[in-house]
Amino acid sequence: MDYQRPNHVETPEEQARVQHSEWQYLKIFVVVVVAIVLVAAISFGMQVSKTMGELADERPAAVPTQTAQKPAATPLTSSPAPATAAADAAKPAPAPATANAANALAAASPTAFAPPAADAIPEGPMGDVIRRGEQIFLHTSTQAKAFVGNTLNCVNCHLDAGRAAHSAPLWGAYTQYPAYRSKTKSVDTFSERLRGCFMYSMNGKAPPHGDEVLVALEAYAYWMAKGALVGEKLPGASYPKVAKPAQVPDYARGQKVFNAQCALCHGDDGQGQRSGDVQVFPPLWGKQSYNWGAGMHEVDKATGFIKANMPLGKANTLSDQDAWDVATYINSQERPQDPRFTGNIADTRKRFHDSEFSLYGQTVNGQQLGQGAQ
């Protein structure tokens, strides 16, 4: 046993050993404290990063400025010029207009809602009705022929089978109803909203309440919106609003944009392209297009759709000015009469088209619009 005398005086060697030992303990203590501080800092940094990431995920996808813009309602008098033959000669063989190129826009909006995949439709009776709705949506003019008065299909305006963001996707619409609509001056259900589509966009007649066509389309929309919050307007749920252009929208400039960017698919005459009985690319005016009561006839809505989705596969490549101009050109063409027509164009405009975005009843190139396509 090592015994130290009470009055023992430490030698220099012993003192050195003690000091060395104390210094070692101090270094260990400092290392431990520094390690604790570093761990705490790293943990705090990770938590902050996670929180900021969650906040970023919650922010809506960026869209063009949301202030509603109004093109001039004054008569447009520029005279149209014939489209070039070069565009006609360059036309490719018909290809489905519902190509997944529309998904390019959705890819640019990572926070947009993601609907279930097409191959995820469940088996059983419910799945059968959902699949029936999908077919009606894709081939409306043949699958719901009794209620369609033109050659359009739902998918012509609601791209990628109703999935693509910024093209009024089904998942964005279903959760917004019932809702009051100024167009009908009433609270509409989703089924009633669908009935309106047949009357105006399809230039047909509304299916009876409870008809299997409406049930199937509503079932398809319900399935597409699976997981979406009811009553919440999701990013990409509608056509974006496009900022006011530098110049007043113009018919003649719009025709040039149409000839250069649109005629390849929609034809020099705007009547689209067919392959046998299939309407590959839709007509944009004339008796086979949407009528004067459809939302797409309003220049601001058409501008938003065109800017966000056209030309097909090249979304957001047109300038705001070009989008406004070409929408003005397209909606300055005659189309089927508004089914609410009172017998007088001026009275019908006053009652249903009192908007700077509507060219119904306006005079363009010496012709009053609203006569109805013949």
Side-chain angles (χ1 to χ4, degrees):
M1 179 177 179
D2 185 21
Y3 176 76
Q4 188 177 42
R5 293 185 301 275
N7 297 320
H8 175 69
V9 177
E10 293 181 338
T11 66
E13 289 80 10
E14 289 176 331
Q15 291 177 348
R17 281 198 301 272
V18 170
Q19 291 175 352
H20 178 74
S21 177
E22 290 174 346
W23 175 243
Q24 288 294 104
Y25 288 141
L26 179 60
K27 287 198 294 184
I28 293 173
F29 175 78
V30 170
V31 170
V32 170
V33 169
V34 170
I36 292 173
V37 170
L38 286 175
V39 171
I42 292 172
S43 177
F44 177 77
M46 292 176 65
Q47 183 62 36
V48 169
S49 177
K50 179 180 178 182
T51 302
M52 294 301 290
E54 291 172 348
L55 290 174
D57 290 342
E58 291 173 0
R59 287 199 299 266
V63 296
T65 305
Q66 295 296 310
T67 53
Q69 304 301 331
K70 299 181 179 181
T74 53
L76 302 170
T77 57
S78 301
S79 299
T84 60
D88 189 66
K91 290 178 182 177
T98 58
N100 283 340
N103 282 336
L105 183 63
S109 304
T111 59
F113 175 78
D119 58 3
I121 297 176
E123 297 298 327
M126 183 64 182
D128 293 341
V129 176
I130 292 171
R131 274 182 283 272
R132 169 69 175 140
E134 180 186 43
Q135 289 304 303
I136 294 171
F137 194 87
L138 295 173
H139 312 288
T140 321
S141 59
T142 56
Q143 293 292 316
K145 190 174 182 179
F147 308 114
V148 178
N150 56 26
T151 58
L152 297 181
N153 302 302
C154 299
V155 71
N156 293 142
C157 295
H158 312 276
L159 305 181
D160 195 20
R163 287 183 172 79
H166 303 293
S167 68
L170 283 180
W171 49 261
Y174 182 80
T175 61
Q176 299 302 298
Y177 289 88
Y180 177 83
R181 300 182 68 216
S182 58
K183 185 171 186 174
T184 62
K185 301 295 190 294
S186 65
V187 174
D188 290 354
T189 64
F190 185 72
S191 180
E192 288 167 331
R193 180 69 178 85
L194 292 173
R195 295 178 82 235
C197 289
F198 280 98
M199 290 175 59
Y200 302 113
S201 297
M202 314 308 292
N203 192 38
K205 59 181 182 180
H209 289 288
D211 188 271
E212 65 93 13
V213 168
L214 292 178
V215 172
L217 285 171
E218 190 164 6
Y220 181 51
Y222 163 81
W223 176 75
M224 289 280 275
K226 184 178 180 181
L229 293 175
V230 174
E232 293 288 333
K233 188 168 183 178
L234 300 168
S238 59
Y239 303 146
K241 293 181 180 179
V242 181
K244 183 179 180 179
Q247 298 175 307
V248 174
D250 180 77
Y251 181 103
R253 286 198 308 267
Q255 185 179 32
K256 291 179 181 178
V257 176
F258 182 86
N259 291 339
Q261 302 289 345
C262 314
L264 188 65
C265 295
H266 296 286
D268 299 334
D269 58 358
Q271 298 310 293
Q273 294 188 48
R274 293 181 67 83
S275 178
D277 294 332
V278 178
Q279 187 73 48
V280 182
F281 295 104
L284 302 181
W285 61 79
K287 61 183 180 180
Q288 292 301 327
S289 188
Y290 50 88
N291 66 39
W292 281 111
M296 192 65 81
H297 98 276
E298 297 175 358
V299 176
D300 63 326
K301 291 184 176 64
T303 297
F305 174 79
I306 291 167
K307 172 71 176 178
N309 299 285
M310 295 291 132
L312 190 65
K314 297 191 295 181
N316 282 306
T317 58
L318 294 179
S319 68
D320 290 358
Q321 183 71 63
D322 284 350
W324 276 103
D325 288 342
V326 76
T328 297
Y329 171 72
I330 290 169
N331 283 335
S332 293
Q333 312 299 326
E334 197 59 83
R335 56 191 65 259
Q337 184 60 267
D338 189 326
R340 301 166 297 181
F341 183 55
T342 66
N344 180 276
I345 292 177
D347 180 60
T348 302
R349 176 174 175 81
K350 182 177 180 181
R351 294 183 60 182
F352 305 112
H353 298 275
D354 188 17
S355 165
E356 294 182 66
F357 297 127
S358 175
L359 293 172
Y360 183 90
Q362 300 289 73
T363 299
V364 178
N365 298 327
Q367 298 293 321
Q368 185 183 35
L369 297 174
Q371 306 288 338
Q374 303 299 320

